Amino acid sequence: MLDLEDVLAARERVAETARHTPLDYSHTFSAMTGADVHLKLETFQRTGSFKIRGATNRIATLSEEEQEAGVVTASAGNHAQGVALAATRIGVDSVIVMPEHAPVSKVEATRNYGGEVVLHGDDYDAAAEKAHEIEREQGRTYVHAFDDYRVMAGQGTIGLEIMEDMPGVDTVVVPIGGGGLISGIATAVKAKEPDVRVIGVQAAGASSVAESLRKGERVELDGVDTIADGIATRTTGEKTFEIIQKRVDEVVTVSDDEIAVALTTLLERGKTLVEGAGAVPLAALLEGTFDYAEGETIVPCCCGGNIDLNVLTTVIMRGLVETGRYLRLRTVLKDRPGELERLVEIISEHRANIYAIEHDRASRDIAMNDAEVELDLETRGPDHVDALLAGLREHGYEVEVLV
Amino acid sequence: MLDLEDVLAARERVAETARHTPLDYSHTFSAMTGADVHLKLETFQRTGSFKIRGATNRIATLSEEEQEAGVVTASAGNHAQGVALAATRIGVDSVIVMPEHAPVSKVEATRNYGGEVVLHGDDYDAAAEKAHEIEREQGRTYVHAFDDYRVMAGQGTIGLEIMEDMPGVDTVVVPIGGGGLISGIATAVKAKEPDVRVIGVQAAGASSVAESLRKGERVELDGVDTIADGIATRTTGEKTFEIIQKRVDEVVTVSDDEIAVALTTLLERGKTLVEGAGAVPLAALLEGTFDYAEGETIVPCCCGGNIDLNVLTTVIMRGLVETGRYLRLRTVLKDRPGELERLVEIISEHRANIYAIEHDRASRDIAMNDAEVELDLETRGPDHVDALLAGLREHGYEVEVLV
């Protein structure tokens, strides 16, 4: 099994390609939770996520012949970029198989890091099959994304950095997809200081580890559904599951809405972008999904920041809606002069800002003389939304909240 | 006039409330420009912008009686938050007049920092008038946002930090709104090292200083129009204009599209959020708006990060469109089975991803048997867009690019 020596050995190798990322005190999250919160910001890591650590340790420890033959892997996201850059820096040739409809930005990034990209198949499974075919045919080494001790050891170097930069840490909170990150971190942290809690967080729509722990055996989900694509895995690894069972104190889950709120809060208040997977530890902290004491020192591991900007705009909207900061509603007006003005006046009295108004006389759902109005509003929070809706209803409007 | 002594004196006072912000090497911008780029990240400053520095120095240097009487100011944005938090930390009472339709998030932030917010009037001018009324009636000191030597001296501490953290700097690039920030920085930088270039950047839609320098006298614009609301001022100050004339080497302008691209690039590649005003120095650098030598050490001052998240989503879309990463187009199909499939096939062959399709048979603009289609596509860049459009036209489609 993996032990501290492996992680310590990984450290030097990893230091050549990966950054020692900052551990930043977060006034915002401390004020919101009463804990002493320090964010481990792997979002500022090279390639935008921690994956370069494990890939570096795996490729650097290959034999000379293996290095000469090159590596291959399959990935739709961060692992692809990590392997590509790690291989390039070490001077090893890499082939990365990505599903045909992988986001253009991730394909381009992987190419820019020096990986040869092969687009194949509709999903990750098809791409992985192709990658194993290339492994056999070309004699390349397959770099697994998580179920590999040398990969885990590389990720574990994050645990070493946390223990050094924050010796008094009480709790480390880590996202779980396949389990490579938390296996490495838990191994390092528990070996250094067995009393430090290690808490794993999964997306509720991809919670194979949480379910596996409940059943006492590794389960494979039929499907996954979450905005945190970096941890949207149907199952954990055999090796990682064993380590999680032994070294992780607790595994919890958070919803996509909770993830959106956490991501949006960090962006707005901390000016720092993380991807969905990088926001799950913050989501668990904000929602009180695990217990903690007042003033406890907590390190959420924000593991990456590679979020497609189109997805980001959707997540931001969701975060604003969830926190009562954005409201879209529909109502019906008598279609006569002054009616819209009256509605706008009421909204203005409640000090909500109007972003957009759509005024439609032709909707088929309403009576001939009425007009449907859709409004996009900026609001101050859940109480403000409630007060505004009550105010409109008091004035006789039937109001439907759209998002 | 302002001199180095004033800035040095400000330093200690400012240190108690403001952070010494990081000067981060940016691989992304260095690779894109061939320069050696280090970002001064005031976006991570308390209150999300540099304004707390000047406000602190102003309030800390008031007499005991003046402090007891409190301060007042008018602002729709960062200055409001800076004054509120600086006053609270020093133990001085503050009243901040904001226009009635100021963004809810900024009003709330100002309140949370301890400022008493008075909402008044439709625009900044009306709010300022009210603030001066309060100044007279209550005997409070008015804290000007930029045309005040003590405010400038506070902002100038950024220049001291840059010179210390990057002794070999060649060029410092600074946004200009009212001119307080660049006056302070230029004073500190030129006093320490006269050969370091100080370049000012304005939004093209609010370029009063650039025009004033051309005319040799201070001009006031009739109006402003830019997404960089933090620097959307109609005129510069008398004191700041004098300093800019003497100590700033060059003032250039950038367009809103260029600002959107810079902001989006820093967010996507650097995982760091800046507001429009914070992105203008990067925009000028990326666009080659000023000359620089290969390998020259350049410090763009990213002065703040307080951007309304709704505005941000719009800016991101604009950044993606400008860099050929997002394409919305309209075309017309014969309304018969298989036509849409054929179109989608061509797009797929060009490896563009389809985000959304809107298929409308009922549009009044087209013939009875035709159907209008609008497509939202993810593309790889300008060349990819051109190839895709050419491919569609080759197949006989009339294509209109919508954004």
Side-chain angles (χ1 to χ4, degrees):
Chain A
M1 218 163 104
L2 187 72
D3 65 29
L4 180 62
E5 295 311 310
D6 301 310
V7 182
L8 290 170
R11 178 144 212 190
E12 254 176 84
R13 297 174 202 123
V14 168
E16 285 168 30
T17 57
R19 289 193 186 106
H20 183 130
T21 51
L23 189 67
D24 257 23
Y25 174 68
S26 170
H27 173 74
T28 298
F29 289 105
S30 295
M32 289 171 98
T33 60
D36 176 33
V37 182
H38 299 256
L39 306 177
K40 179 62 172 171
L41 292 173
E42 281 288 291
T43 193
F44 294 129
Q45 186 53 268
R46 289 200 179 93
T47 73
S49 93
F50 68 95
K51 292 284 189 180
I52 191 165
R53 296 176 184 258
T56 298
N57 193 47
R58 181 73 171 94
I59 297 169
T61 52
L62 292 175
S63 72
E64 221 167 284
E65 283 137 44
E66 286 169 327
Q67 289 197 347
E68 217 145 279
V71 296
V72 61
T73 195
S75 165
N78 291 337
H79 181 57
Q81 298 179 47
V83 170
L85 185 59
T88 299
R89 290 209 156 208
I90 296 170
V92 170
D93 188 76
S94 67
V95 173
I96 320 287
V97 186
M98 304 179 82
E100 282 189 7
H101 297 286
V104 171
S105 56
K106 301 210 165 171
V107 174
E108 290 295 294
T110 305
R111 277 202 185 111
N112 288 337
Y113 289 131
E116 182 194 329
V117 173
V118 174
L119 294 171
H120 183 88
D122 279 342
D123 57 14
Y124 172 77
D125 291 342
E129 206 173 294
K130 179 75 180 172
H132 281 298
E133 203 181 298
I134 293 171
E135 176 191 11
R136 286 187 302 271
E137 282 172 4
Q138 305 184 6
R140 289 172 182 270
T141 301
Y142 190 95
V143 181
H144 197 280
F146 50 84
D147 209 27
D148 177 309
Y149 290 130
R150 280 180 279 177
V151 170
M152 293 179 225
Q155 326 300 25
T157 58
I158 294 173
L160 299 179
E161 293 176 12
I162 292 172
M163 297 307 288
E164 278 171 27
D165 294 345
M166 186 55 53
V169 59
D170 296 304
T171 300
V172 179
V173 193
V174 186
I176 307 184
L181 176 64
I182 199 168
S183 293
I185 291 179
T187 297
V189 166
K190 292 289 187 182
K192 290 268 185 192
E193 193 58 77
D195 288 346
V196 173
R197 278 199 300 172
V198 177
I199 292 176
V201 189
Q202 295 206 290
S207 60
S208 69
V209 172
E211 289 188 30
S212 299
L213 288 173
R214 263 195 296 278
K215 288 207 174 169
E217 60 178 25
R218 216 158 61 91
V219 301
E220 183 164 342
L221 306 172
D222 292 334
V224 292
D225 179 18
T226 172
I227 53 170
D229 60 322
I231 51 172
T233 47
R234 290 194 293 123
T235 186
T236 180
E238 277 179 44
K239 300 186 183 83
T240 53
F241 185 56
E242 192 194 349
I243 296 176
I244 291 169
Q245 280 182 306
K246 291 211 173 117
R247 295 176 184 160
V248 171
D249 295 277
E250 193 181 351
V251 174
V252 299
T253 63
V254 291
S255 73
D256 275 7
D257 283 342
E258 291 165 352
I259 296 169
V261 169
L263 189 159
T264 305
T265 305
L266 181 57
L267 185 62
E268 186 172 31
R269 306 285 297 276
K271 317 302 176 192
T272 300
L273 179 64
V274 293
E275 59 184 280
V280 297
L282 288 175
L285 174 64
L286 286 182
E287 296 295 326
T289 312
F290 60 89
D291 291 330
Y292 56 86
E294 182 82 20
E296 183 174 325
T297 300
I298 301 178
V299 174
C301 181
C302 301
C303 62
N306 293 326
I307 185 168
D308 192 90
L309 290 184
N310 284 286
V311 176
L312 176 63
T313 59
T314 312
V315 172
I316 289 174
M317 289 312 295
R318 211 151 148 182
L320 291 176
V321 168
E322 277 300 307
T323 50
R325 309 263 304 284
Y326 188 93
L327 178 67
R328 177 174 291 164
L329 54 82
R330 182 191 290 147
T331 189
V332 172
L333 301 179
K334 295 285 161 205
D335 193 10
R336 59 190 181 206
E339 281 298 308
L340 187 60
E341 202 184 330
R342 186 171 156 250
L343 176 69
V344 168
E345 214 175 275
I346 297 168
I347 290 166
S348 175
E349 275 165 17
H350 278 85
R351 295 211 176 278
N353 273 347
I354 298 175
Y355 285 129
I357 297 186
E358 209 170 302
H359 192 212
D360 183 7
R361 289 187 179 79
S363 172
R364 279 160 236 171
D365 301 338
I366 51 170
M368 283 288 287
N369 285 330
D370 292 348
E372 198 174 82
V373 180
E374 277 186 26
L375 293 145
D376 287 10
L377 303 173
E378 184 192 21
T379 45
R380 275 197 306 278
D383 295 347
H384 188 209
V385 170
D386 290 347
L388 175 64
L389 293 176
L392 289 169
R393 283 170 183 143
E394 248 167 55
H395 283 83
Y397 292 97
E398 278 182 37
V399 180
E400 183 189 353
V401 175
L402 299 178
V403 292
Chain B
M1 217 165 104
L2 187 71
D3 64 29
L4 180 62
E5 294 311 310
D6 301 309
V7 182
L8 289 170
R11 178 144 212 191
E12 253 175 84
R13 297 175 202 122
V14 168
E16 283 168 32
T17 57
R19 290 195 185 104
H20 182 131
T21 50
L23 189 67
D24 257 22
Y25 174 68
S26 170
H27 173 75
T28 298
F29 290 105
S30 295
M32 289 171 97
T33 60
D36 176 33
V37 182
H38 299 256
L39 306 176
K40 179 62 172 172
L41 292 173
E42 281 287 290
T43 192
F44 295 128
Q45 185 53 269
R46 287 200 181 93
T47 71
S49 94
F50 68 93
K51 291 284 188 180
I52 190 163
R53 295 176 186 258
T56 298
N57 193 47
R58 182 72 172 93
I59 297 169
T61 52
L62 293 174
S63 71
E64 219 165 287
E65 283 137 45
E66 286 168 325
Q67 288 197 348
E68 216 145 280
V71 296
V72 61
T73 195
S75 164
N78 291 336
H79 180 59
Q81 298 178 47
V83 170
L85 184 58
T88 300
R89 290 209 156 208
I90 296 169
V92 170
D93 188 76
S94 67
V95 172
I96 321 287
V97 186
M98 304 178 83
E100 282 188 7
H101 297 285
V104 171
S105 56
K106 301 209 164 166
V107 174
E108 290 295 295
T110 306
R111 277 202 186 112
N112 289 336
Y113 290 130
E116 182 194 330
V117 174
V118 174
L119 294 171
H120 183 88
D122 279 341
D123 57 15
Y124 172 77
D125 291 342
E129 205 172 296
K130 179 75 181 173
H132 282 298
E133 202 181 297
I134 293 172
E135 176 192 11
R136 287 188 300 270
E137 283 173 4
Q138 304 184 9
R140 290 172 180 269
T141 302
Y142 190 94
V143 180
H144 197 280
F146 50 85
D147 210 27
D148 178 308
Y149 290 130
R150 280 181 280 176
V151 170
M152 293 180 225
Q155 327 300 25
T157 58
I158 294 173
L160 299 179
E161 293 176 13
I162 292 172
M163 297 307 287
E164 277 173 25
D165 295 345
M166 185 58 50
V169 60
D170 297 304
T171 301
V172 179
V173 194
V174 186
I176 307 184
L181 176 64
I182 199 167
S183 293
I185 290 179
T187 298
V189 166
K190 292 287 187 184
K192 288 269 183 189
E193 192 60 76
D195 289 346
V196 173
R197 277 199 301 171
V198 177
I199 292 177
V201 189
Q202 293 206 293
S207 59
S208 70
V209 173
E211 288 188 31
S212 300
L213 289 172
R214 263 194 298 276
K215 289 207 175 171
E217 60 178 23
R218 216 158 60 92
V219 302
E220 181 163 344
L221 306 173
D222 292 333
V224 292
D225 179 17
T226 172
I227 54 170
D229 59 321
I231 51 173
T233 46
R234 290 194 293 125
T235 185
T236 181
E238 278 178 44
K239 301 187 183 80
T240 55
F241 185 58
E242 192 193 350
I243 295 177
I244 290 169
Q245 280 181 306
K246 291 212 170 116
R247 297 177 183 159
V248 171
D249 295 276
E250 191 182 351
V251 174
V252 298
T253 62
V254 290
S255 72
D256 275 7
D257 284 342
E258 291 165 351
I259 296 169
V261 169
L263 188 159
T264 306
T265 305
L266 181 57
L267 185 61
E268 186 173 30
R269 306 284 299 274
K271 317 300 174 191
T272 299
L273 180 65
V274 293
E275 59 184 281
V280 298
L282 288 175
L285 175 63
L286 287 182
E287 297 295 325
T289 311
F290 59 90
D291 291 329
Y292 55 87
E294 181 82 19
E296 184 172 324
T297 300
I298 302 178
V299 174
C301 182
C302 301
C303 64
N306 292 328
I307 183 168
D308 193 272
L309 291 183
N310 285 287
V311 176
L312 175 63
T313 60
T314 312
V315 173
I316 289 174
M317 290 311 297
R318 210 151 150 182
L320 291 176
V321 167
E322 277 301 305
T323 51
R325 309 260 306 282
Y326 187 93
L327 177 66
R328 179 174 291 167
L329 54 82
R330 182 191 291 149
T331 188
V332 171
L333 302 179
K334 295 285 161 203
D335 192 11
R336 59 191 178 204
E339 282 298 308
L340 186 60
E341 203 184 329
R342 187 172 154 249
L343 176 69
V344 168
E345 215 175 274
I346 298 168
I347 291 167
S348 176
E349 274 165 17
H350 279 85
R351 295 210 175 278
N353 274 346
I354 299 175
Y355 285 129
I357 297 186
E358 209 170 300
H359 192 211
D360 184 5
R361 288 189 180 78
S363 171
R364 276 161 239 170
D365 300 338
I366 50 171
M368 281 289 286
N369 285 330
D370 293 347
E372 199 174 82
V373 180
E374 278 187 27
L375 293 145
D376 286 11
L377 303 172
E378 184 193 21
T379 45
R380 275 198 304 278
D383 295 348
H384 188 209
V385 170
D386 290 347
L388 174 65
L389 293 175
L392 287 169
R393 282 169 184 144
E394 247 167 55
H395 282 84
Y397 291 98
E398 279 182 33
V399 180
E400 183 189 351
V401 174
L402 299 178
V403 290

